[in-house]
Amino acid sequence: MEYDSGRVVMEAKGIEAALERISMEIIASSKDPGKLALVGIHTGGVFLANRIAAVMARKLGSAVPLGTLDITLYRDDWTRLHTQPVIKGTNLPFRIDDLEVVLIDDVLYTGRTVRAALDALIDYGRPRRVQVAVLVDRDHRELPICGQFIGISVDTTSEEQVNVLLSEKDGVDKVVVEKPGIASGQQKLL
């Protein structure tokens, strides 16, 4: 399916401000900032987790444990998405038992990614608390999952796609909402 060029709902300065605010909210909500840990969900969540960790380290004066989580084989739809899934690897260089873990992703949509991340995370231990931070919440939940730390909430239709472009992988920071378009050379039937 081809998408139109879309509407930009957030650019670099807005993303930076949102991540700064999210970082401060995470610190403020913590019962014990010394027990905080950040875990980025591959792929977009990893880049955002790195940025949030840098902000939090500046604010707290010390590094916050940071890990990555690959949920590929925990997804309930992986067999429909890939015939041979690409495993990116989980890296949790610390024990999660009794920590306040913040799962970080770029977009919260149906809730299925966060559900898979919770399943994967619990295989590594029993955190004291798990919260969710996302840059974009676009609603349309299929599961009873919500984000506690949200950069921006965007009204979308279920047909639209939200693309978070990050300089680490795309060379630019912006959030774009795209509608399904007509493939070039095709005419719309009336």
Side-chain angles (χ1 to χ4, degrees):
M1 183 178 297
E2 200 168 293
Y3 286 83
D4 69 7
S5 59
R7 65 181 155 95
V8 176
V9 295
M10 189 179 260
E11 296 200 45
K13 286 187 181 193
I15 291 172
E16 183 180 340
L19 295 178
E20 184 87 19
R21 181 178 43 77
I22 287 170
S23 300
M24 296 307 296
E25 290 173 358
I26 291 170
I27 292 168
S29 78
S30 176
K31 293 174 176 47
D32 179 0
K35 291 280 193 176
L36 274 172
L38 306 176
V39 176
I41 301 171
H42 276 290
T43 295
V46 172
F47 300 127
L48 296 173
N50 285 321
R51 293 186 192 189
I52 290 170
V55 172
M56 290 176 67
R58 282 194 318 269
K59 302 293 182 186
L60 293 171
S62 62
V64 176
L66 176 63
T68 63
L69 195 61
D70 184 340
I71 63 159
T72 304
L73 298 178
Y74 289 87
R75 294 181 60 99
D76 59 7
D77 60 353
W78 76 266
T79 57
R80 285 188 276 164
L81 298 175
H82 310 284
T83 54
Q84 294 184 335
V86 177
I87 308 299
K88 296 170 187 87
T90 292
N91 180 25
L92 293 174
F94 50 86
R95 294 182 48 82
I96 67 166
D97 295 313
D98 203 36
L99 293 181
E100 295 179 31
V101 175
V102 180
L103 287 172
I104 301 172
D105 204 7
D106 51 359
V107 178
L108 180 55
Y109 179 33
T110 62
R112 293 183 180 280
T113 296
V114 173
R115 189 234 18 109
L118 288 167
D119 287 350
L121 190 67
I122 298 306
D123 280 351
Y124 289 90
R126 188 176 192 278
R128 176 186 304 173
R129 174 169 73 162
V130 179
Q131 294 181 294
V132 175
V134 295
L135 182 60
V136 180
D137 183 342
R138 64 172 292 192
D139 208 10
H140 302 285
R141 295 299 179 275
E142 295 174 3
L143 299 172
I145 299 218
C146 65
Q148 286 73 41
F149 311 105
I150 297 168
I152 185 174
S153 295
V154 179
D155 288 328
T156 63
T157 66
S158 57
E159 293 79 30
E160 289 175 313
Q161 181 170 325
V162 174
N163 290 319
V164 175
L165 307 174
L166 298 172
S167 58
E168 295 91 339
K169 66 181 176 65
D170 304 302
V172 65
D173 284 345
K174 76 169 109 171
V175 177
V176 181
V177 177
E178 298 176 329
K179 294 181 181 182
I182 301 169
S184 49
Q186 292 182 334
Q187 291 186 10
K188 186 174 181 180
L189 298 175
L190 301 176

